[in-house]
Amino acid sequence: MKETKYDCIIVGGGITGVGIARDLSLRGLKLLLVEKNDLSEGTTGRCHAMLHSGARYVYKDKEAALECAQENKILLTIAPHITEPCGGYFIAVNSEDMDYGDIFRTECEIAGVWCEEINPQTFLSKEPNCNPHTIRVFKVNDGYIDPFLLTYYNAYDAQLHGATIKAYTKAERLLLDGDTIIGIECFNVLTKRRNKYYTDIIINATGPWSSYLEKDLSLSHPLKIAPTMGTLVVVKDRLVNGLINRLRPPGDGDIIVPSHNSVIVGTTSIPVEYEQLDTLRTTPDEIDYILTQGEYLVPTLKKHRIIRFYSGARPLIDSGASLREASRRFDIIDYEKEGYSGFLTIIGGKLTTYRLMAKEISDLVVSYLDIDAQCSTADQPLPGGDRLINKERFEEILKVDKKTAFDMQFKWGTFYKEIFEMCERCMDPFSEPNIPQKICECENVTEPELSWVRERLAIKVLDDYRRRTRQGMGPCQGIFCYYKLANLEAKHTEKTHAQIMNELKIALQKRWKIQYAADDVLKRQIKLSKYIYLLGGHLK
Amino acid sequence: MKENNEPIEVSIIGGGFSGLYLAILLKMKGITCEIFTSGTGASQFWVGTVDFLDYRQNRDLERSFKEFQKEVPHHPYSFFPFSKIERSFTYFFSQFPDFKMFTENEKLINRPVLTSLGNLKPCIGIWHSIFHEFQYLTKESTVILVDFSEFFNDVMYLVAKNLHDTFACSYRILNLSFKTIFDLIGENGDEISIKDKLSEYRIASFFDTHSSMATISILGNYIKKEIIKQFPKLDMKHVDFILFPPILGLKTEKKIIEELSKLLNLKCKELVALSPSLISKRFDSELNEKIKSLDIPLHKNYTFIDFNKDANSKMWWKLKFMNKKGDLCNIHSKCVVFAVGTLFQEGPFANVEDFKEIFNKNLLSIPISKISPSYELTFHNGQGSNIFVAGSALFSFIESITEEDEIKYGTGLGLSILTSTQIAEELNRLK
Ligand SMILES: Cc1cc2nc3c(=O)[nH]c(=O)nc-3n(C[C@H](O)[C@H](O)[C@H](O)COP(=O)(O)OP(=O)(O)OC[C@H]3O[C@@H](n4cnc5c(N)ncnc54)[C@H](O)[C@@H]3O)c2cc1C
Ligand SMILES: Cc1cc2nc3c(=O)[nH]c(=O)nc-3n(C[C@H](O)[C@H](O)[C@H](O)COP(=O)(O)OP(=O)(O)OC[C@H]3O[C@@H](n4cnc5c(N)ncnc54)[C@H](O)[C@@H]3O)c2cc1C
């Protein structure tokens, strides 16, 4: 059998990797992307879901700030279905913050980032849950973005343009021919098989894990990554309509982002070791600290239930400077300088600027391969994003309730048509036409949506549904929907019962693992879940 | 409720299965008691089996139990001689004929039932209607599983897949619709739904009020017709069972299932429920009816918050409760039984620090390293306190039992039955 050779292989299925995959496949390259877990399961899926306006970076890094401002506009037009231009505010709650206001305004002007001072009273009428002692407010263009679907739509488009995407495939070893990198050996964690893939160029887009692939090379300047962990706490109820930032140089616990029916509060910055990256542990103290800081923005924050929390790692390059000051811009490392050809690492940046990062490295790739192909990602809408489909339309076509329609409008865009067809298909043939069955009551996820992602967005195991649909992300921690999901998996796939039980166990254990740091209410919830599945259902 | 200075003989805190069963046992021995309970408990989620050592497939329970006693000596089970265990269970099953006890040569055994996830779980008894006759399944058998299109809480495909994987039998999923059933019976489905969705509880109550022979035969004919329509090639000779989700009534499921079996000439059975389960409602209402007929006072929405030695009599306890409105009230009691479960504990039990504090100030140390065989708490000086702990609540009181042990080693109705029996005997002895 002849080995297939790819024009380019990308390692890492976070937003950076899939962004590159899309860019290059739109330029006509034949490529492969490998990701060791599910796409977006790394830093991308653990971020704050914030579509930066750039305002947060004006003080420290004007270049990055301007990039954010520009990419923000582009993403709102190419991905209207998974972004929300809800706007953001920088608010001052004490005199120190108040004084920073003047600097903030000047810095925004210099950076070219839009901001406008507004009356605190006007602000409070729009954001009644925010601190009544707010004394100064600037409005900015921050927005919300779904980091998961952003990743899946990029990957889906790449696939539509011929790319091969392999999730649950870990790149283990670079294959070298002298000083030239010619391919990569991978391990499929589901089938437990090893395979070799060949190519001219490998792009290492593994975020905080970037130094791993360098192990096969002897380098005079190996990458020095100083990962810092950031924690985010998801609190029940959509307490704010726009993003709320503290008016001060970036610090801990000073942003609140509205996301579906909850808010995400964060974050922190704690140095961690490479060995900890796969098992980042949030501490109860950190959660309390974040919420205490968050209370300056929304005073009633602690009265609301914590739904979950998670930590991600920023892949900062150790430059000796203080950690938060390390550049927010990104780096492209070409190993040609070290005497190896065919290997590039891209690291840093932000979710908001992924497209620009992908463009820059893709330009480099096509020039290496001597191909004349332009980047088209700035005006090619992402799949489903041709135009905005509002919630009324979802209500009308899919016959779902208002709450479900509200959630759907941030997910499917013009795919509503396919989901509608799915609707008719998932109805049992002998029952009358009906409204789609809601499988996850907390996050309003219906059966046709689950069927659609199964067919279109490459589901491998049960846990994959969650990131694509938000199934199981709500207050009940998936207690009352995972068994229904497992039942649908039994109905629609060839998987054996034992296989499904194994996947169910892994998915639930991921939900349960936060129990050690949970508060009493969340602990009890997780314990009930264990009773239901382990005792009632005898899941072993 | 009026405050009363006359002490109650025994106050039971917690109205889950443990508390209710204990009250019944006490009353039958002529001991007066009252129950105070705050709300939901694990008992409202119970799915229909009586578990005892459910991690052991081994059918020889006596041997398993001896091994278990060595393995987990601090477990609340470990104080029982096996003969006593058999006696307690046999008595329980004799009191509640709606259960079926699993025995072989008159010895208690573990037998598997299908759980709601399709797994096989060993248990010593089940609610009567649940399917357990696996010995009749062969390669040639076919099982029909009923999937009601408006009932979202069933998992027929999952169950069917494991039946097929384990017993190599074939299966068919029969799609039925409640809407059609209501139409056939001439009922308006709207009243049974909440916000466009049929409520499980209301469906079950619907069957309770429509269990006449005429209605059951309409249902039977509908099922017959649908089987022919949906599986035209199926040879009914090979069909052994037809399995329903457990929603055919809260009281009349026995009758409906029997009559349907006759009409269809097929064995009809129910599957174990999903949570929160309707089977638990059936047993709960049976217990409650017994409590009522025995005239045992049951105070709902009373949350225990604190207790002290009674100033009037050193022998009594003064218990403090809060009702739903936030009003406080005091009760005097000679003996107290905590049957507050582990999952839905309210008041001081919801927080470890509060919990420790109120017991320690009464010279009772919590959590304890070892409980006495009568489940009575002792003072620091080793004397009995007249305070007992029953059922799954024991796991919160015993230090060395972790949450993993709790789930792994079979907390369940078995523990409720055994501990309540033991405490009732002890209180009888003290009387
Ligand atoms: C707490 C926090 C909050 C943030 N909030 C925001 C925000 O609100 N807005 C914003 O714009 N940005 C935010 N960021 C930044 C943003 O999340 C990251 O810049 C972005 O997600 C990085 O994507 P990536 O693809 O480079 O890395 P990752 O998403 O980490 O992707 C790397 C992938 O490589 C995979 N991988 C690793 N090793 C291998 C291997 N050997 N083989 C195969 N695959 C491998 C990993 O599993 C992982 O999926 C935040 C970051 C943090 C830490
Ligand atoms: C999903 C699930 C499925 C299960 N399936 C099975 C099964 O199939 N077979 C089996 O054998 N077992 C099963 N079990 C376990 C079984 O249901 C429990 O072990 C049993 O019901 C425990 O009963 P209990 O009375 O000890 O506790 P609970 O039922 O929890 O009762 C405790 C009661 O105390 C009350 N209470 C709490 N705090 C206070 C207070 N401060 N003041 C007053 N009242 C208070 C609560 O409101 C509650 O009513 C299952 C459990 C769950 C959760």
Side-chain angles (χ1 to χ4, degrees), chain A residues 532 535, chain B residues 14 16-18 37-40 42-43 46-47 49 51 121 275 302 304 339 346 392 412-413:
Chain A
I532 291 181
L535 197 92
Chain B
F17 294 163
S18 308
T37 189
S38 57
T40 310
S43 304
W46 174 74
V47 297
T49 69
D51 297 350
K121 160 162 122 173
S275 308
Y302 274 76
F304 166 87
E346 300 287 339
S392 54
L413 216 51

PDB file of all heavy atoms in Angstrom, chain A residues 532 535, chain B residues 14 16-18 37-40 42-43 46-47 49 51 121 275 302 304 339 346 392 412-413, ligand 2:
ATOM      1  N   ILE A 532     -27.257   7.631  41.284  1.00  0.00           N
ATOM      2  CA  ILE A 532     -28.122   7.270  40.165  1.00  0.00           C
ATOM      3  C   ILE A 532     -27.418   6.324  39.205  1.00  0.00           C
ATOM      4  O   ILE A 532     -27.965   5.302  38.796  1.00  0.00           O
ATOM      5  CB  ILE A 532     -28.609   8.540  39.434  1.00  0.00           C
ATOM      6  CG1 ILE A 532     -29.580   9.290  40.335  1.00  0.00           C
ATOM      7  CG2 ILE A 532     -29.255   8.184  38.094  1.00  0.00           C
ATOM      8  CD1 ILE A 532     -30.153  10.542  39.732  1.00  0.00           C
ATOM      9  N   LEU A 535     -25.277   3.211  41.630  1.00  0.00           N
ATOM     10  CA  LEU A 535     -26.121   2.364  42.472  1.00  0.00           C
ATOM     11  C   LEU A 535     -27.395   1.986  41.723  1.00  0.00           C
ATOM     12  O   LEU A 535     -27.664   0.819  41.486  1.00  0.00           O
ATOM     13  CB  LEU A 535     -26.453   3.115  43.761  1.00  0.00           C
ATOM     14  CG  LEU A 535     -26.973   2.226  44.866  1.00  0.00           C
ATOM     15  CD1 LEU A 535     -25.819   1.777  45.724  1.00  0.00           C
ATOM     16  CD2 LEU A 535     -27.983   2.964  45.710  1.00  0.00           C
TER      17      LEU A 535
ATOM     18  N   GLY B  14     -36.703  11.999  60.031  1.00  0.00           N
ATOM     19  CA  GLY B  14     -36.473  11.509  58.672  1.00  0.00           C
ATOM     20  C   GLY B  14     -37.553  10.529  58.262  1.00  0.00           C
ATOM     21  O   GLY B  14     -37.742   9.496  58.907  1.00  0.00           O
ATOM     22  N   GLY B  16     -37.856   8.861  55.294  1.00  0.00           N
ATOM     23  CA  GLY B  16     -37.544   7.995  54.148  1.00  0.00           C
ATOM     24  C   GLY B  16     -37.943   6.571  54.496  1.00  0.00           C
ATOM     25  O   GLY B  16     -38.622   6.334  55.512  1.00  0.00           O
ATOM     26  N   PHE B  17     -37.539   5.610  53.692  1.00  0.00           N
ATOM     27  CA  PHE B  17     -37.932   4.223  53.938  1.00  0.00           C
ATOM     28  C   PHE B  17     -37.479   3.741  55.316  1.00  0.00           C
ATOM     29  O   PHE B  17     -38.205   3.011  55.993  1.00  0.00           O
ATOM     30  CB  PHE B  17     -37.363   3.304  52.854  1.00  0.00           C
ATOM     31  CG  PHE B  17     -37.939   3.549  51.483  1.00  0.00           C
ATOM     32  CD1 PHE B  17     -37.301   3.064  50.351  1.00  0.00           C
ATOM     33  CD2 PHE B  17     -39.138   4.250  51.327  1.00  0.00           C
ATOM     34  CE1 PHE B  17     -37.836   3.283  49.093  1.00  0.00           C
ATOM     35  CE2 PHE B  17     -39.678   4.472  50.070  1.00  0.00           C
ATOM     36  CZ  PHE B  17     -39.017   3.989  48.945  1.00  0.00           C
ATOM     37  N   SER B  18     -36.274   4.164  55.738  1.00  0.00           N
ATOM     38  CA  SER B  18     -35.773   3.695  57.037  1.00  0.00           C
ATOM     39  C   SER B  18     -36.673   4.160  58.169  1.00  0.00           C
ATOM     40  O   SER B  18     -37.065   3.373  59.037  1.00  0.00           O
ATOM     41  CB  SER B  18     -34.362   4.216  57.310  1.00  0.00           C
ATOM     42  OG  SER B  18     -33.515   3.948  56.243  1.00  0.00           O
ATOM     43  N   THR B  37     -40.232  14.935  59.401  1.00  0.00           N
ATOM     44  CA  THR B  37     -39.395  14.852  58.197  1.00  0.00           C
ATOM     45  C   THR B  37     -39.435  16.134  57.381  1.00  0.00           C
ATOM     46  O   THR B  37     -40.445  16.828  57.336  1.00  0.00           O
ATOM     47  CB  THR B  37     -39.791  13.644  57.325  1.00  0.00           C
ATOM     48  OG1 THR B  37     -38.823  13.475  56.294  1.00  0.00           O
ATOM     49  CG2 THR B  37     -41.156  13.822  56.699  1.00  0.00           C
ATOM     50  N   SER B  38     -38.310  16.456  56.771  1.00  0.00           N
ATOM     51  CA  SER B  38     -38.243  17.748  56.081  1.00  0.00           C
ATOM     52  C   SER B  38     -38.681  17.689  54.626  1.00  0.00           C
ATOM     53  O   SER B  38     -39.269  18.628  54.117  1.00  0.00           O
ATOM     54  CB  SER B  38     -36.835  18.329  56.176  1.00  0.00           C
ATOM     55  OG  SER B  38     -35.896  17.442  55.653  1.00  0.00           O
ATOM     56  N   GLY B  39     -38.391  16.614  53.921  1.00  0.00           N
ATOM     57  CA  GLY B  39     -38.800  16.616  52.507  1.00  0.00           C
ATOM     58  C   GLY B  39     -38.296  15.407  51.768  1.00  0.00           C
ATOM     59  O   GLY B  39     -38.413  14.290  52.243  1.00  0.00           O
ATOM     60  N   THR B  40     -37.734  15.646  50.608  1.00  0.00           N
ATOM     61  CA  THR B  40     -37.277  14.560  49.737  1.00  0.00           C
ATOM     62  C   THR B  40     -36.101  13.802  50.332  1.00  0.00           C
ATOM     63  O   THR B  40     -35.295  14.363  51.059  1.00  0.00           O
ATOM     64  CB  THR B  40     -36.788  15.146  48.400  1.00  0.00           C
ATOM     65  OG1 THR B  40     -37.783  16.010  47.923  1.00  0.00           O
ATOM     66  CG2 THR B  40     -36.520  14.068  47.384  1.00  0.00           C
ATOM     67  N   ALA B  42     -33.436  10.026  49.505  1.00  0.00           N
ATOM     68  CA  ALA B  42     -32.994   9.048  48.508  1.00  0.00           C
ATOM     69  C   ALA B  42     -34.147   8.110  48.165  1.00  0.00           C
ATOM     70  O   ALA B  42     -34.239   7.595  47.056  1.00  0.00           O
ATOM     71  CB  ALA B  42     -31.812   8.258  49.044  1.00  0.00           C
ATOM     72  N   SER B  43     -35.043   7.906  49.147  1.00  0.00           N
ATOM     73  CA  SER B  43     -36.158   6.980  48.925  1.00  0.00           C
ATOM     74  C   SER B  43     -37.034   7.395  47.741  1.00  0.00           C
ATOM     75  O   SER B  43     -37.682   6.553  47.137  1.00  0.00           O
ATOM     76  CB  SER B  43     -37.002   6.891  50.189  1.00  0.00           C
ATOM     77  OG  SER B  43     -36.185   6.518  51.277  1.00  0.00           O
ATOM     78  N   TRP B  46     -35.434   5.737  44.627  1.00  0.00           N
ATOM     79  CA  TRP B  46     -35.284   4.267  44.635  1.00  0.00           C
ATOM     80  C   TRP B  46     -35.920   3.654  43.395  1.00  0.00           C
ATOM     81  O   TRP B  46     -37.017   4.044  43.014  1.00  0.00           O
ATOM     82  CB  TRP B  46     -35.958   3.760  45.911  1.00  0.00           C
ATOM     83  CG  TRP B  46     -36.041   2.283  46.036  1.00  0.00           C
ATOM     84  CD1 TRP B  46     -35.027   1.433  46.324  1.00  0.00           C
ATOM     85  CD2 TRP B  46     -37.224   1.480  45.898  1.00  0.00           C
ATOM     86  NE1 TRP B  46     -35.490   0.147  46.385  1.00  0.00           N
ATOM     87  CE2 TRP B  46     -36.830   0.147  46.127  1.00  0.00           C
ATOM     88  CE3 TRP B  46     -38.555   1.748  45.603  1.00  0.00           C
ATOM     89  CZ2 TRP B  46     -37.733  -0.911  46.076  1.00  0.00           C
ATOM     90  CZ3 TRP B  46     -39.459   0.707  45.549  1.00  0.00           C
ATOM     91  CH2 TRP B  46     -39.041  -0.610  45.781  1.00  0.00           C
ATOM     92  N   VAL B  47     -35.213   2.726  42.745  1.00  0.00           N
ATOM     93  CA  VAL B  47     -35.695   2.271  41.447  1.00  0.00           C
ATOM     94  C   VAL B  47     -36.370   0.904  41.452  1.00  0.00           C
ATOM     95  O   VAL B  47     -36.743   0.394  40.407  1.00  0.00           O
ATOM     96  CB  VAL B  47     -34.573   2.312  40.384  1.00  0.00           C
ATOM     97  CG1 VAL B  47     -34.109   3.733  40.165  1.00  0.00           C
ATOM     98  CG2 VAL B  47     -33.398   1.422  40.761  1.00  0.00           C
ATOM     99  N   THR B  49     -35.505  -2.191  43.517  1.00  0.00           N
ATOM    100  CA  THR B  49     -34.912  -3.448  43.972  1.00  0.00           C
ATOM    101  C   THR B  49     -34.555  -3.366  45.453  1.00  0.00           C
ATOM    102  O   THR B  49     -34.443  -2.285  46.001  1.00  0.00           O
ATOM    103  CB  THR B  49     -33.613  -3.764  43.200  1.00  0.00           C
ATOM    104  OG1 THR B  49     -32.605  -2.820  43.592  1.00  0.00           O
ATOM    105  CG2 THR B  49     -33.824  -3.666  41.708  1.00  0.00           C
ATOM    106  N   ASP B  51     -31.505  -4.105  47.574  1.00  0.00           N
ATOM    107  CA  ASP B  51     -30.083  -4.426  47.449  1.00  0.00           C
ATOM    108  C   ASP B  51     -29.517  -4.841  48.786  1.00  0.00           C
ATOM    109  O   ASP B  51     -29.829  -4.264  49.815  1.00  0.00           O
ATOM    110  CB  ASP B  51     -29.287  -3.202  46.991  1.00  0.00           C
ATOM    111  CG  ASP B  51     -29.697  -2.728  45.622  1.00  0.00           C
ATOM    112  OD1 ASP B  51     -30.460  -3.446  44.962  1.00  0.00           O
ATOM    113  OD2 ASP B  51     -29.249  -1.634  45.219  1.00  0.00           O
ATOM    114  N   LYS B 121     -27.929  -6.156  37.644  1.00  0.00           N
ATOM    115  CA  LYS B 121     -27.564  -5.863  39.026  1.00  0.00           C
ATOM    116  C   LYS B 121     -28.100  -6.950  39.941  1.00  0.00           C
ATOM    117  O   LYS B 121     -29.278  -7.288  39.883  1.00  0.00           O
ATOM    118  CB  LYS B 121     -28.159  -4.506  39.397  1.00  0.00           C
ATOM    119  CG  LYS B 121     -28.300  -4.267  40.878  1.00  0.00           C
ATOM    120  CD  LYS B 121     -28.476  -2.794  41.174  1.00  0.00           C
ATOM    121  CE  LYS B 121     -29.752  -2.525  41.922  1.00  0.00           C
ATOM    122  NZ  LYS B 121     -29.851  -1.131  42.343  1.00  0.00           N
ATOM    123  N   SER B 275     -34.727   7.529  37.641  1.00  0.00           N
ATOM    124  CA  SER B 275     -34.992   8.400  38.773  1.00  0.00           C
ATOM    125  C   SER B 275     -35.433   9.779  38.311  1.00  0.00           C
ATOM    126  O   SER B 275     -35.005  10.212  37.277  1.00  0.00           O
ATOM    127  CB  SER B 275     -33.721   8.558  39.576  1.00  0.00           C
ATOM    128  OG  SER B 275     -33.220   7.300  39.862  1.00  0.00           O
ATOM    129  N   TYR B 302     -41.068  19.301  58.703  1.00  0.00           N
ATOM    130  CA  TYR B 302     -40.416  19.645  59.957  1.00  0.00           C
ATOM    131  C   TYR B 302     -38.936  19.305  59.860  1.00  0.00           C
ATOM    132  O   TYR B 302     -38.578  18.148  59.688  1.00  0.00           O
ATOM    133  CB  TYR B 302     -41.057  18.905  61.129  1.00  0.00           C
ATOM    134  CG  TYR B 302     -42.250  19.652  61.676  1.00  0.00           C
ATOM    135  CD1 TYR B 302     -43.463  19.635  60.994  1.00  0.00           C
ATOM    136  CD2 TYR B 302     -42.140  20.410  62.829  1.00  0.00           C
ATOM    137  CE1 TYR B 302     -44.544  20.351  61.466  1.00  0.00           C
ATOM    138  CE2 TYR B 302     -43.226  21.135  63.307  1.00  0.00           C
ATOM    139  CZ  TYR B 302     -44.423  21.107  62.616  1.00  0.00           C
ATOM    140  OH  TYR B 302     -45.484  21.821  63.069  1.00  0.00           O
ATOM    141  N   PHE B 304     -35.354  19.113  61.573  1.00  0.00           N
ATOM    142  CA  PHE B 304     -34.635  19.078  62.843  1.00  0.00           C
ATOM    143  C   PHE B 304     -33.464  20.045  62.749  1.00  0.00           C
ATOM    144  O   PHE B 304     -32.709  20.020  61.781  1.00  0.00           O
ATOM    145  CB  PHE B 304     -34.136  17.656  63.081  1.00  0.00           C
ATOM    146  CG  PHE B 304     -33.102  17.550  64.166  1.00  0.00           C
ATOM    147  CD1 PHE B 304     -33.478  17.394  65.487  1.00  0.00           C
ATOM    148  CD2 PHE B 304     -31.751  17.623  63.858  1.00  0.00           C
ATOM    149  CE1 PHE B 304     -32.518  17.307  66.487  1.00  0.00           C
ATOM    150  CE2 PHE B 304     -30.789  17.536  64.850  1.00  0.00           C
ATOM    151  CZ  PHE B 304     -31.164  17.384  66.166  1.00  0.00           C
ATOM    152  N   ALA B 339     -32.833   9.198  61.078  1.00  0.00           N
ATOM    153  CA  ALA B 339     -32.902   8.409  59.843  1.00  0.00           C
ATOM    154  C   ALA B 339     -32.904   9.401  58.690  1.00  0.00           C
ATOM    155  O   ALA B 339     -33.811   9.424  57.870  1.00  0.00           O
ATOM    156  CB  ALA B 339     -34.156   7.539  59.833  1.00  0.00           C
ATOM    157  N   GLU B 346     -30.787  17.831  55.678  1.00  0.00           N
ATOM    158  CA  GLU B 346     -31.092  19.243  55.916  1.00  0.00           C
ATOM    159  C   GLU B 346     -30.591  19.638  57.290  1.00  0.00           C
ATOM    160  O   GLU B 346     -30.115  18.803  58.056  1.00  0.00           O
ATOM    161  CB  GLU B 346     -32.608  19.473  55.848  1.00  0.00           C
ATOM    162  CG  GLU B 346     -33.248  19.126  54.528  1.00  0.00           C
ATOM    163  CD  GLU B 346     -32.931  20.130  53.455  1.00  0.00           C
ATOM    164  OE1 GLU B 346     -32.561  21.267  53.802  1.00  0.00           O
ATOM    165  OE2 GLU B 346     -33.020  19.768  52.265  1.00  0.00           O
ATOM    166  N   SER B 392     -29.350   4.776  55.753  1.00  0.00           N
ATOM    167  CA  SER B 392     -28.146   5.274  55.095  1.00  0.00           C
ATOM    168  C   SER B 392     -27.498   6.438  55.854  1.00  0.00           C
ATOM    169  O   SER B 392     -26.340   6.761  55.610  1.00  0.00           O
ATOM    170  CB  SER B 392     -28.453   5.670  53.655  1.00  0.00           C
ATOM    171  OG  SER B 392     -29.526   6.568  53.628  1.00  0.00           O
ATOM    172  N   GLY B 412     -28.559   0.620  50.647  1.00  0.00           N
ATOM    173  CA  GLY B 412     -29.782   0.502  49.881  1.00  0.00           C
ATOM    174  C   GLY B 412     -30.867   0.136  50.825  1.00  0.00           C
ATOM    175  O   GLY B 412     -30.728   0.273  52.037  1.00  0.00           O
ATOM    176  N   LEU B 413     -31.953  -0.344  50.234  1.00  0.00           N
ATOM    177  CA  LEU B 413     -33.079  -0.720  51.051  1.00  0.00           C
ATOM    178  C   LEU B 413     -32.662  -1.782  52.068  1.00  0.00           C
ATOM    179  O   LEU B 413     -33.193  -1.835  53.173  1.00  0.00           O
ATOM    180  CB  LEU B 413     -34.172  -1.264  50.141  1.00  0.00           C
ATOM    181  CG  LEU B 413     -35.551  -0.921  50.587  1.00  0.00           C
ATOM    182  CD1 LEU B 413     -35.654   0.567  50.834  1.00  0.00           C
ATOM    183  CD2 LEU B 413     -36.548  -1.361  49.552  1.00  0.00           C
TER     184      LEU B 413
HETATM  185  C1  LIG C   2     -31.082   7.021  42.273  1.00  0.00           C
HETATM  186  C2  LIG C   2     -31.131   6.032  43.387  1.00  0.00           C
HETATM  187  C3  LIG C   2     -31.506   4.737  43.104  1.00  0.00           C
HETATM  188  C4  LIG C   2     -31.551   3.804  44.123  1.00  0.00           C
HETATM  189  N1  LIG C   2     -31.919   2.541  43.822  1.00  0.00           N
HETATM  190  C5  LIG C   2     -31.959   1.601  44.787  1.00  0.00           C
HETATM  191  C6  LIG C   2     -32.382   0.283  44.498  1.00  0.00           C
HETATM  192  O1  LIG C   2     -32.785  -0.040  43.405  1.00  0.00           O
HETATM  193  N2  LIG C   2     -32.344  -0.638  45.486  1.00  0.00           N
HETATM  194  C7  LIG C   2     -31.962  -0.304  46.747  1.00  0.00           C
HETATM  195  O2  LIG C   2     -31.972  -1.181  47.594  1.00  0.00           O
HETATM  196  N3  LIG C   2     -31.605   0.950  47.058  1.00  0.00           N
HETATM  197  C8  LIG C   2     -31.589   1.913  46.104  1.00  0.00           C
HETATM  198  N4  LIG C   2     -31.226   3.189  46.417  1.00  0.00           N
HETATM  199  C9  LIG C   2     -30.849   3.509  47.787  1.00  0.00           C
HETATM  200  C10 LIG C   2     -32.074   3.668  48.659  1.00  0.00           C
HETATM  201  O3  LIG C   2     -33.041   4.416  47.999  1.00  0.00           O
HETATM  202  C11 LIG C   2     -31.662   4.362  49.936  1.00  0.00           C
HETATM  203  O4  LIG C   2     -30.612   3.685  50.527  1.00  0.00           O
HETATM  204  C12 LIG C   2     -32.797   4.414  50.928  1.00  0.00           C
HETATM  205  O5  LIG C   2     -33.948   4.958  50.329  1.00  0.00           O
HETATM  206  C13 LIG C   2     -32.363   5.245  52.111  1.00  0.00           C
HETATM  207  O6  LIG C   2     -33.464   5.517  52.915  1.00  0.00           O
HETATM  208  P1  LIG C   2     -33.311   6.399  54.212  1.00  0.00           P
HETATM  209  O7  LIG C   2     -34.632   6.467  54.820  1.00  0.00           O
HETATM  210  O8  LIG C   2     -32.163   5.905  55.008  1.00  0.00           O
HETATM  211  O9  LIG C   2     -32.861   7.816  53.681  1.00  0.00           O
HETATM  212  P2  LIG C   2     -33.718   8.923  52.799  1.00  0.00           P
HETATM  213  O10 LIG C   2     -34.638   8.259  51.885  1.00  0.00           O
HETATM  214  O11 LIG C   2     -32.690   9.808  52.243  1.00  0.00           O
HETATM  215  O12 LIG C   2     -34.557   9.639  53.885  1.00  0.00           O
HETATM  216  C14 LIG C   2     -34.064  10.639  54.718  1.00  0.00           C
HETATM  217  C15 LIG C   2     -35.184  11.577  55.066  1.00  0.00           C
HETATM  218  O13 LIG C   2     -34.751  12.449  56.086  1.00  0.00           O
HETATM  219  C16 LIG C   2     -35.189  13.750  55.812  1.00  0.00           C
HETATM  220  N5  LIG C   2     -34.306  14.694  56.489  1.00  0.00           N
HETATM  221  C17 LIG C   2     -33.034  15.031  56.169  1.00  0.00           C
HETATM  222  N6  LIG C   2     -32.560  15.947  57.030  1.00  0.00           N
HETATM  223  C18 LIG C   2     -33.554  16.194  57.916  1.00  0.00           C
HETATM  224  C19 LIG C   2     -33.678  17.066  59.048  1.00  0.00           C
HETATM  225  N7  LIG C   2     -32.673  17.841  59.420  1.00  0.00           N
HETATM  226  N8  LIG C   2     -34.842  17.077  59.709  1.00  0.00           N
HETATM  227  C20 LIG C   2     -35.877  16.287  59.332  1.00  0.00           C
HETATM  228  N9  LIG C   2     -35.821  15.446  58.293  1.00  0.00           N
HETATM  229  C21 LIG C   2     -34.666  15.402  57.585  1.00  0.00           C
HETATM  230  C22 LIG C   2     -35.143  13.841  54.302  1.00  0.00           C
HETATM  231  O14 LIG C   2     -35.993  14.851  53.842  1.00  0.00           O
HETATM  232  C23 LIG C   2     -35.615  12.449  53.913  1.00  0.00           C
HETATM  233  O15 LIG C   2     -36.989  12.399  53.779  1.00  0.00           O
HETATM  234  C24 LIG C   2     -31.214   4.162  45.429  1.00  0.00           C
HETATM  235  C25 LIG C   2     -30.875   5.477  45.715  1.00  0.00           C
HETATM  236  C26 LIG C   2     -30.838   6.414  44.703  1.00  0.00           C
HETATM  237  C27 LIG C   2     -30.478   7.822  45.017  1.00  0.00           C
END
